[in-house]
Amino acid sequence: MLAALASAAVPGIAVAGARDSEHDNATDTGMGIDQAVVQDATGRVYDVYASDTEAGKRRLAGRVRAARTLAEAREPGGLGFSMDHVLAFEDGGNPRGATAGTAVMVATHHEGRSRSLNLLTHDDCASVGTAIGAIHRLRAGFLKEQGYPVFTTGQSRAQLTAGSARLRQAGHIPPSITANWSRIIDTAGLWSFSTCMVHGGFHEGDFLFSGSTITAVTNWQDMQINDPARDLAWTFAKLDDEHRNALITAYGRMMGSRLDDLIMLRANLWLQMEQVGEFIQALGAADNAKIMQFKAQVEWLAHQLAVVTQKTRDAQSVGTQA
């Protein structure tokens, strides 16, 4: 099926065969996006993605737009890993079109395999930290020129403050957690950072690996200029302390003097806001399984946030005494 859609989207392809993709992506699957690897008669290999759902079509359209934006910009050229190179895209808006209303994206094949983020090795984590650091060092003016979201440090703080207020008003959140949010948001030095280009939030399948080398980073549709902590928030949900430290050490080496000392404090806060928001949605849907799951996650994140906060205060106290 995907081979036929690839031929329809790119009439010049003489398809010789197709196989399952190694780029498993839970977000794609959840939005109804199918994928396969297609080979033509000359031996050239392509990644093909297709969706009939509205959510899937929007996601593919955003991915294509981001890929073309990155391809036109010079800044990402030296990142050390590949990004999507889109050869053709049918948006599926015309039921009588070449792909009969199915959105189809055909791109140059990425070597490498996706890997569950909670199964990353220490070496994998070091590679991820290096990659994220390289992204955060890019000059990001091209994003503004292409109409992607741009947030200042003050606006980023306002996002977190507004999120905290909104979740507090929704109720069901223990006062100890919301009080902790308020203390964290008022932490001295927390907002002494510069916003930069960010991927926008990593999920399963966005990093592709060959061994512990990152071959590609995909799904840039949420890229923007914002708090770099947003790209590190997932580490609290997916990694234990040792693996997270391996990632942050490599990230710190890439950032050098630009490293923000309190970035992990904000990263935990961003994730906690997201998790609590999902918890409230589960309450509204009376989804008992998700309610129990999110309760455990929120309590664990609250503990992690308390630990990180105490370490930060201890470090600030030592610095003051020195």
Side-chain angles (χ1 to χ4, degrees):
M1 179 65 176
L2 287 178
L5 288 170
S7 295
V10 188
I13 293 181
V15 175
R19 59 179 170 81
D20 291 339
S21 175
E22 309 90 353
H23 307 163
D24 295 335
N25 188 297
T27 306
D28 281 352
T29 301
M31 292 189 177
I33 298 174
D34 297 317
Q35 59 178 297
V37 178
V38 171
Q39 183 173 319
D40 68 14
T42 68
R44 193 173 181 189
V45 184
Y46 309 86
D47 289 325
V48 181
Y49 302 82
S51 181
D52 291 320
T53 71
E54 291 306 312
K57 290 177 181 180
R58 287 194 299 271
R59 180 169 167 85
L60 287 178
R63 182 169 178 175
V64 170
R65 181 195 172 208
R68 289 173 174 166
T69 297
L70 290 167
E72 292 172 2
R74 287 180 293 178
E75 287 82 354
L79 283 174
F81 49 78
S82 66
M83 293 170 286
D84 292 331
H85 176 57
V86 178
L87 302 174
F89 178 60
E90 291 285 338
D91 64 11
N94 182 6
R96 297 183 180 180
T99 57
T102 298
V104 180
M105 172 181 130
V106 181
T108 303
H109 176 59
H110 286 309
E111 296 295 337
R113 307 179 70 92
S114 60
R115 194 168 295 167
S116 295
L117 296 177
N118 61 341
L119 297 179
L120 298 183
T121 67
H122 285 84
D123 288 341
D124 294 344
C125 290
S127 294
V128 170
T130 299
I132 296 175
I135 293 167
H136 290 178
R137 287 176 61 92
L138 289 177
R139 295 177 61 182
F142 70 94
L143 289 178
K144 183 176 182 180
E145 294 169 3
Q146 294 300 318
Y148 280 86
V150 176
F151 296 93
T152 64
T153 301
Q155 289 170 328
S156 183
R157 177 176 184 171
Q159 283 181 299
L160 271 175
T161 302
S164 171
R166 188 165 56 250
L167 293 173
R168 188 181 293 110
Q169 291 168 1
H172 307 293
I173 308 303
S176 59
I177 292 179
T178 55
N180 202 26
W181 287 345
S182 297
R183 286 195 298 272
I184 299 304
I185 288 173
D186 291 335
T187 298
L190 189 68
W191 308 101
S192 299
F193 70 93
S194 297
T195 56
C196 65
M197 177 177 174
V198 298
H199 176 273
F202 291 103
H203 299 282
E204 305 281 356
D206 292 346
F207 296 105
L208 301 180
F209 293 87
S210 175
S212 289
T213 299
I214 292 177
T215 58
V217 176
T218 64
N219 288 299
W220 292 80
Q221 50 267 43
D222 293 323
M223 64 183 180
Q224 57 192 268
I225 297 176
N226 208 328
D227 183 354
R230 300 193 70 162
D231 276 352
L232 297 169
W234 63 273
T235 63
F236 280 97
K238 299 292 184 179
L239 304 178
D240 61 23
D241 289 345
E242 288 187 7
H243 288 80
R244 192 184 311 120
N245 287 340
L247 189 153
I248 294 304
T249 298
Y251 176 78
R253 283 197 295 266
M254 281 299 297
M255 296 303 291
S257 61
R258 304 184 192 184
L259 182 63
D260 163 17
D261 290 340
L262 301 184
I263 189 170
M264 295 311 290
L265 192 57
R266 292 195 315 281
N268 191 307
L269 195 56
W270 279 115
L271 180 62
Q272 195 169 126
M273 295 281 187
E274 178 184 338
Q275 296 282 22
V276 171
E278 292 176 353
F279 170 60
I280 289 175
Q281 289 178 357
L283 285 172
D287 187 332
N288 289 328
K290 283 191 175 180
I291 288 171
M292 295 304 295
Q293 176 188 357
F294 287 132
K295 257 189 173 178
Q297 288 175 334
V298 168
E299 289 171 359
W300 182 81
L301 282 169
H303 170 72
Q304 289 289 308
L305 190 55
V307 170
V308 174
T309 304
Q310 190 57 53
K311 287 181 179 178
T312 300
R313 288 174 177 163
D314 291 345
Q316 289 177 333
S317 176
V318 170
T320 302
Q321 292 175 3

